[in-house]
Amino acid sequence: MSTKKKIYKPRAISGFPEWLPEIRAVEQQWMDHIRRVFESYGYTNIETPVVEELDVLLAKGETDKEIYTLTRLQADPRDKTDARLGLHFDQTVPFARYTAQHFNSLDFPFKRYQMQKVWRGERPQAGRMREFYQCDIDVVNPDNIPIYFDAEMPAVMWEILSTLPGMENEKIQIRISNRKILIGLLEHLSITDTAPITRVVDKIDKIGHDGVFKNLTQDCKLTEEQAQTILDLVTTDKDPADIIDRNDTMAQGIAALCAVMDQLKHLPDGAVKADLSIIRGFDYYTGTVYETVFVDKPEYGSICSGGRYDDLAGSYINRHLPGVGMSIGLSRLFSRLLADKKLPIGRKSPTDILVTLPRNTNYRAQANEIARTLRGRGFNVETYHADQKIQKQLGYAEKKGIKYVWFTPSEEGQSHEIKNMVTREQTQADPETWTKE
Amino acid sequence: MSTKKKIYKPRAISGFPEWLPEIRAVEQQWMDHIRRVFESYGYTNIETPVVEELDVLLAKGETDKEIYTLTRLQADPRDKTDARLGLHFDQTVPFARYTAQHFNSLDFPFKRYQMQKVWRGERPQAGRMREFYQCDIDVVNPDNIPIYFDAEMPAVMWEILSTLPGMENEKIQIRISNRKILIGLLEHLSITDTAPITRVVDKIDKIGHDGVFKNLTQDCKLTEEQAQTILDLVTTDKDPADIIDRNDTMAQGIAALCAVMDQLKHLPDGAVKADLSIIRGFDYYTGTVYETVFVDKPEYGSICSGGRYDDLAGSYINRHLPGVGMSIGLSRLFSRLLADKKLPIGRKSPTDILVTLPRNTNYRAQANEIARTLRGRGFNVETYHADQKIQKQLGYAEKKGIKYVWFTPSEEGQSHEIKNMVTREQTQADPETWTKE
């Protein structure tokens, strides 16, 4: 038979990143680090299915996020039993649905973290991801939630972002405001349709002071004086405590922002900053808002954002659930730093020690025994299984970045030796007692 | 305005499990444990996107697995740029595709583990999962792979399964055979169409000795003598070394099985067993095959299976890549044990210590300072943020299963105290030096 084998040559799918083992190892370090810090502040993990019913995803009305829906490949078109399911496009909707669905089984304030992939059916284009990890923390509580949680969020995120592998030398800053300050000013200026104004102010980083002024006067039809008053507020470098409030709403916002900043004094200089130009595009946020930037690299955009909201799950349950949360766009940050060669490259293998197979394979059992002993002592250990020359075995360790090679004795009375592949030093050792230098 | 708010009451989606925090905490322990053991044997992690191109999923021909495909909710039907994408139904196809795609960047033997969700578009029914975690290890190498890896697989899996939280008292057994033994016998009996025979033998646990005999003679048209010869082989309790080989194929199979069993002598009695009735339904497997059962609960089926294959990625690359692997059906095992009340229930919160907010809220900063000190020392610590009576704060700790409550001093010179919520003991303590008893 000479049937030619058909090969389907695989290729990367645009927008769905995947990493080589040595990069994935760093991504795992990131996830472990983030999880450890979240848990150190008492946040508990939940994980929701990748899908939600479309009715849930669209409960707040049409979304501008592109949703992927599922279809069974061999579905019988007459079969309507399959629910209409869509991949979640963020973790807020699943969290809201989860909290509503399990409301009576949860304890409040409910502090949860979630680290999952989300999907957006974007048209593929450079840098746009269609599958990516987000890492969210939120706290929600029926009816009210102390303002001090608003200060906890940036404290947690600062601790994470300033110590992520590869981020230690980056200068980042969490910028904080309170939406009520600007909203209060707009009330004072008798501007009732606030959403278009906040959307313009939100773009100040991109379009600049003049762009905002032009937009406010031309598109939003504000007077030049109104526009200037708004710009004066959002670009002020005054301490929030020194801002003059024009009404109760502004006063509440200023007091809340001052309370938050006051609780963050323990952070290094410049870690957090009150910045009234931070407003976030979503009307979902009702108080504190956050963005996080690389001070020297504005092109990274905000790597960690969030805010306080008045009602998490109103679409799914008749309970008032205010909360506050922040989210790290993990995959975007990770892949950007990777492309900019800022990430440490990880190990191709988690192995600490490679135990050789001696040329006298009667000693194979002893090699396995050594590996078990070292493994029992907490090391990651693999045994070389192919009957090949020691030089080849050392080459394997080298190639995979395995730091230590343990030479299995291959005759009665021969002593154990271990070689440090970096220093090239080789010393006698005992599997029961050996430790890394 | 009296518009009545529309509530969409959420419900569980059949086949897509999700857990309360205290159950998810146990699932996390499981995943951590499995990962730790995989890495301790030198397996490296990869993670692939949730989707593959349909051409990749179907490269080996139609599959009997129900595949979910993706569609963009707002897709323009004229837009053909979206690849035809499907959710992966196992981790073998993605692993094969990954290995082929990144072949030149990988180091061999390539030892990888993968712990991801997979999806099957099954019709919803009791116990059938449509989304579940699998935990796979495989090793592949161009052209050949030493038989000793076949022994490493069950050693790894035994270590995991015998020590998973909730599994410590379960009697499990990994049953091992080598397909070549039965295939060799069938050759010897001049039976060329082997696939139907192996499929029947694979069902022996379900249909019993007589069922297999009836199937072999009636459906497979074997003589009674042939059927009996086959049954005698697959139900033998002889040591594999004592089985008489009828040809080279049988001899190879017996030698390989003996070599594997020989390397597993360090395991406790009954942990592994040579069992010639293990054959696996897939012709994909060409040598060693494994199944893992609860000795006293055959209804659990096989919780961890796998085997040796001759060619991992032949559909995607013109390289011969034999390998061996095993897979734990994590979600199925986990949810079954949960339903049978065999799982320890986890904590509702990862918090070790709750630091109280004293009624004199001037001491709020001090509460945060205590929390930071304890956190810096490795404890998971949360500060109580609501200005409420101490009794209420203690109630919160109780409710969430937080073991220690730290009383923040609320006047000059007052000493720190910590209460163990289990023993009810309350003692003086210093945040710089306190340790768990």
Side-chain angles (χ1 to χ4, degrees):
Chain A
M1 293 197 298
S2 70
T3 51
K4 202 176 159 208
K5 199 168 66 168
K6 200 187 155 210
I7 304 271
Y8 179 81
K9 198 166 172 294
R11 50 184 181 170
I13 306 174
S14 173
F16 289 83
E18 101 182 338
W19 313 121
L20 288 172
E22 57 270 32
I23 307 299
R24 169 62 184 161
V26 184
E27 192 180 49
Q28 279 186 306
Q29 281 178 43
W30 274 41
M31 310 274 288
D32 291 345
H33 175 69
I34 294 170
R35 172 179 166 192
R36 195 180 48 69
V37 178
F38 283 167
E39 293 187 353
S40 80
Y41 281 81
Y43 289 79
T44 194
N45 186 239
I46 68 166
E47 189 170 277
T48 64
V50 300
V51 293
E52 298 289 340
E53 292 190 358
L54 273 184
D55 291 331
V56 166
L57 291 176
L58 302 174
K60 287 194 178 175
E62 284 300 314
T63 167
D64 60 344
K65 309 292 190 297
E66 284 271 18
I67 297 174
Y68 277 123
T69 60
L70 299 194
T71 313
R72 282 168 41 218
L73 184 60
Q74 290 146 358
D76 180 337
R78 291 163 302 183
D79 171 14
K80 303 289 183 203
T81 56
D82 240 8
R84 290 175 74 223
L85 302 175
L87 296 179
H88 52 230
F89 52 81
D90 70 4
Q91 296 183 131
T92 302
V93 169
F95 172 51
R97 192 268 311 149
Y98 180 99
T99 306
Q101 185 177 326
H102 304 291
F103 186 83
N104 293 323
S105 307
L106 298 176
D107 297 292
F108 292 93
F110 181 39
K111 301 172 73 171
R112 85 86 175 80
Y113 73 93
Q114 210 166 338
M115 301 171 62
Q116 295 187 239
K117 287 175 172 173
V118 304
W119 294 268
R120 308 251 169 111
E122 313 256 8
R123 298 287 285 281
Q125 53 177 281
R128 275 285 176 84
M129 290 189 174
R130 299 197 280 175
E131 170 177 274
F132 51 95
Y133 272 111
Q134 285 192 335
C135 303
D136 290 17
I137 39 173
D138 284 86
V139 54
V140 293
N141 194 53
D143 302 323
N144 66 72
I145 185 115
I147 188 71
Y148 302 98
F149 280 110
D150 300 50
E152 186 168 292
M153 294 289 146
V156 173
M157 291 306 197
W158 170 261
E159 188 168 333
I160 288 172
L161 293 169
S162 58
T163 54
L164 271 176
M167 289 280 286
E168 302 90 340
N169 300 319
E170 302 296 325
K171 208 168 148 195
I172 60 158
Q173 184 170 65
I174 302 177
R175 295 179 176 164
I176 309 176
S177 184
N178 192 299
R179 276 196 137 229
K180 287 189 175 161
I181 304 175
L182 177 59
I183 299 290
L185 182 72
L186 298 181
E187 282 171 14
H188 169 69
L189 296 173
S190 303
I191 299 166
T192 48
D193 190 13
T194 58
I197 316 287
T198 58
R199 274 199 294 273
V200 169
V201 171
D202 185 47
K203 286 192 281 189
I204 194 163
D205 265 358
K206 289 189 190 104
I207 64 178
H209 184 284
D210 293 351
V212 170
F213 187 83
K214 201 175 143 195
N215 260 264
L216 290 180
T217 48
Q218 293 185 2
D219 304 340
C220 301
K221 310 287 182 210
L222 300 194
T223 65
E224 295 198 350
E225 200 191 331
Q226 285 176 320
Q228 196 54 53
T229 307
I230 291 168
L231 271 164
D232 286 348
L233 178 77
V234 301
T235 60
T236 183
D237 50 15
K238 276 189 196 160
D239 188 280
D242 298 331
I243 292 165
I244 295 154
D245 64 76
R246 304 293 179 184
N247 53 24
D248 271 4
T249 309
M250 273 189 89
Q252 284 168 23
I254 291 166
L257 181 55
C258 290
V260 169
M261 296 309 292
D262 190 54
Q263 298 291 311
L264 295 170
K265 283 183 186 152
H266 65 286
L267 294 179
D269 268 359
V272 293
K273 187 185 165 200
D275 178 343
L276 299 196
S277 73
I278 303 301
I279 192 79
R280 307 295 296 148
F282 314 109
D283 282 331
Y284 171 69
Y285 293 119
T286 52
T288 308
V289 280
Y290 318 93
E291 290 189 359
T292 310
V293 296
F294 284 78
V295 178
D296 306 320
K297 293 177 195 148
E299 71 277 13
Y300 269 61
S302 179
I303 58 170
C304 177
S305 314
R308 168 178 278 251
Y309 39 87
D310 188 53
D311 189 16
L312 175 73
S315 305
Y316 316 119
I317 191 171
N318 206 355
R319 289 298 297 255
H320 178 221
L321 279 172
V324 57
M326 282 184 93
S327 173
I328 304 174
L330 184 134
S331 299
R332 285 173 181 180
L333 176 59
F334 186 83
S335 62
R336 186 86 193 237
L337 288 170
L338 179 66
D340 287 352
K341 304 205 187 312
K342 296 280 186 187
L343 284 188
I345 301 303
R347 300 165 66 191
K348 290 182 180 209
S349 159
T351 302
D352 299 313
I353 308 167
L354 175 73
V355 177
T356 62
L357 178 66
R359 293 318 303 272
N360 179 350
T361 53
N362 289 335
Y363 283 78
R364 184 182 293 281
Q366 192 163 353
N368 287 331
E369 183 60 37
I370 294 166
R372 278 197 294 276
T373 302
L374 290 166
R375 209 175 278 130
R377 296 183 53 226
F379 299 107
N380 294 341
V381 188
E382 60 179 292
T383 312
Y384 201 83
H385 286 310
D387 181 14
Q388 289 171 328
K389 288 192 179 139
I390 292 296
Q391 216 44 46
K392 187 114 189 186
Q393 303 189 33
L394 287 167
Y396 171 80
E398 193 98 63
K399 211 169 55 172
K400 284 217 175 163
I402 299 171
K403 192 171 173 192
Y404 297 99
V405 175
W406 195 284
F407 295 97
T408 305
S410 60
E411 49 188 79
E412 201 51 42
Q414 198 180 3
S415 66
H416 294 254
E417 300 208 339
I418 189 164
K419 178 171 186 168
N420 179 321
M421 297 295 288
V422 179
T423 64
R424 304 276 150 187
E425 251 180 308
Q426 189 165 330
T427 49
Q428 290 199 6
D430 178 341
E432 301 281 1
T433 56
W434 179 82
T435 52
K436 288 186 201 183
E437 56 269 23
Chain B
M1 291 199 299
S2 70
T3 51
K4 205 179 158 204
K5 200 168 66 170
K6 201 187 155 210
I7 303 270
Y8 178 81
K9 199 168 173 294
R11 49 184 182 171
I13 307 174
S14 173
F16 289 83
E18 102 181 340
W19 313 121
L20 288 172
E22 57 270 32
I23 308 298
R24 169 62 184 161
V26 184
E27 192 180 49
Q28 279 185 306
Q29 281 178 44
W30 274 40
M31 310 274 287
D32 291 345
H33 175 69
I34 294 171
R35 172 180 166 190
R36 197 181 48 68
V37 178
F38 284 167
E39 293 187 352
S40 80
Y41 281 81
Y43 290 79
T44 194
N45 186 239
I46 68 167
E47 189 169 277
T48 64
V50 300
V51 292
E52 298 288 339
E53 292 190 359
L54 273 184
D55 291 331
V56 166
L57 291 176
L58 301 174
K60 288 194 178 175
E62 283 300 314
T63 167
D64 60 343
K65 309 292 190 297
E66 284 270 18
I67 297 174
Y68 277 123
T69 59
L70 299 195
T71 313
R72 282 168 43 218
L73 184 60
Q74 291 146 357
D76 180 338
R78 290 163 302 182
D79 171 13
K80 304 288 181 202
T81 55
D82 241 8
R84 292 174 74 223
L85 302 175
L87 296 179
H88 53 229
F89 52 81
D90 69 5
Q91 296 184 129
T92 302
V93 169
F95 173 50
R97 193 268 312 148
Y98 180 99
T99 306
Q101 185 177 326
H102 304 292
F103 187 82
N104 293 323
S105 307
L106 298 176
D107 296 293
F108 293 92
F110 182 38
K111 302 171 72 170
R112 86 85 176 79
Y113 72 93
Q114 211 166 337
M115 301 171 62
Q116 296 187 238
K117 287 175 173 173
V118 304
W119 293 268
R120 309 252 168 108
E122 314 255 9
R123 297 288 285 281
Q125 52 178 283
R128 275 285 176 85
M129 289 189 175
R130 299 197 281 174
E131 170 177 275
F132 51 95
Y133 272 111
Q134 285 191 336
C135 303
D136 291 16
I137 38 171
D138 284 86
V139 53
V140 293
N141 194 52
D143 303 322
N144 66 71
I145 185 115
I147 188 71
Y148 302 98
F149 279 109
D150 299 49
E152 187 167 292
M153 295 289 146
V156 173
M157 290 305 197
W158 169 261
E159 188 168 332
I160 288 171
L161 293 169
S162 59
T163 52
L164 272 176
M167 289 280 286
E168 302 89 341
N169 300 319
E170 301 297 323
K171 209 169 148 194
I172 59 158
Q173 184 170 64
I174 301 177
R175 295 178 178 167
I176 309 176
S177 184
N178 191 300
R179 276 193 137 232
K180 287 189 174 161
I181 304 175
L182 177 58
I183 299 291
L185 182 72
L186 298 181
E187 282 172 14
H188 169 70
L189 296 174
S190 304
I191 299 167
T192 49
D193 190 14
T194 57
I197 315 289
T198 57
R199 273 199 295 272
V200 169
V201 171
D202 185 48
K203 285 191 282 189
I204 194 164
D205 264 359
K206 289 189 190 105
I207 63 177
H209 185 285
D210 294 350
V212 169
F213 188 84
K214 201 174 143 197
N215 259 265
L216 289 180
T217 49
Q218 293 184 1
D219 304 340
C220 301
K221 311 287 184 211
L222 301 194
T223 66
E224 294 199 350
E225 201 190 332
Q226 285 175 320
Q228 195 55 53
T229 307
I230 291 167
L231 271 165
D232 285 350
L233 178 77
V234 302
T235 59
T236 184
D237 51 14
K238 276 189 195 159
D239 187 281
D242 298 331
I243 292 166
I244 295 157
D245 63 76
R246 303 293 179 184
N247 54 23
D248 271 4
T249 309
M250 274 190 88
Q252 283 168 23
I254 290 165
L257 182 55
C258 289
V260 170
M261 296 309 294
D262 191 53
Q263 298 290 312
L264 295 170
K265 282 182 186 151
H266 66 285
L267 294 179
D269 269 358
V272 292
K273 187 185 164 198
D275 178 343
L276 300 196
S277 73
I278 302 303
I279 192 78
R280 307 296 295 148
F282 314 108
D283 282 330
Y284 172 68
Y285 293 119
T286 53
T288 308
V289 279
Y290 318 92
E291 289 190 359
T292 310
V293 295
F294 283 79
V295 178
D296 306 320
K297 292 177 196 148
E299 71 277 12
Y300 269 60
S302 178
I303 57 169
C304 177
S305 315
R308 168 178 278 251
Y309 39 87
D310 188 53
D311 188 18
L312 174 73
S315 306
Y316 315 119
I317 191 172
N318 205 356
R319 288 299 297 254
H320 178 221
L321 279 172
V324 57
M326 283 184 91
S327 173
I328 303 173
L330 183 133
S331 298
R332 285 174 181 178
L333 176 60
F334 186 83
S335 63
R336 185 87 192 236
L337 288 169
L338 179 66
D340 287 353
K341 304 201 188 312
K342 296 279 185 190
L343 284 188
I345 300 303
R347 300 165 67 193
K348 290 182 179 208
S349 159
T351 302
D352 300 313
I353 307 167
L354 176 73
V355 177
T356 62
L357 178 67
R359 293 318 304 272
N360 179 353
T361 53
N362 290 335
Y363 283 78
R364 183 183 293 281
Q366 191 163 355
N368 287 331
E369 184 59 39
I370 295 166
R372 279 196 294 277
T373 303
L374 290 166
R375 209 175 278 128
R377 295 183 54 226
F379 299 107
N380 294 341
V381 188
E382 61 179 291
T383 312
Y384 200 83
H385 286 310
D387 180 15
Q388 289 171 327
K389 288 191 179 143
I390 292 295
Q391 215 44 48
K392 187 115 188 186
Q393 303 190 32
L394 287 166
Y396 172 79
E398 192 98 64
K399 212 168 56 171
K400 284 217 175 162
I402 299 170
K403 193 169 171 194
Y404 298 98
V405 174
W406 194 283
F407 294 97
T408 305
S410 59
E411 51 188 77
E412 201 51 44
Q414 197 179 5
S415 66
H416 295 254
E417 300 209 338
I418 189 163
K419 179 171 186 167
N420 179 322
M421 296 297 287
V422 179
T423 65
R424 304 277 150 188
E425 252 178 309
Q426 189 164 330
T427 49
Q428 290 199 4
D430 178 342
E432 300 281 1
T433 56
W434 179 81
T435 52
K436 288 187 201 183
E437 56 270 25

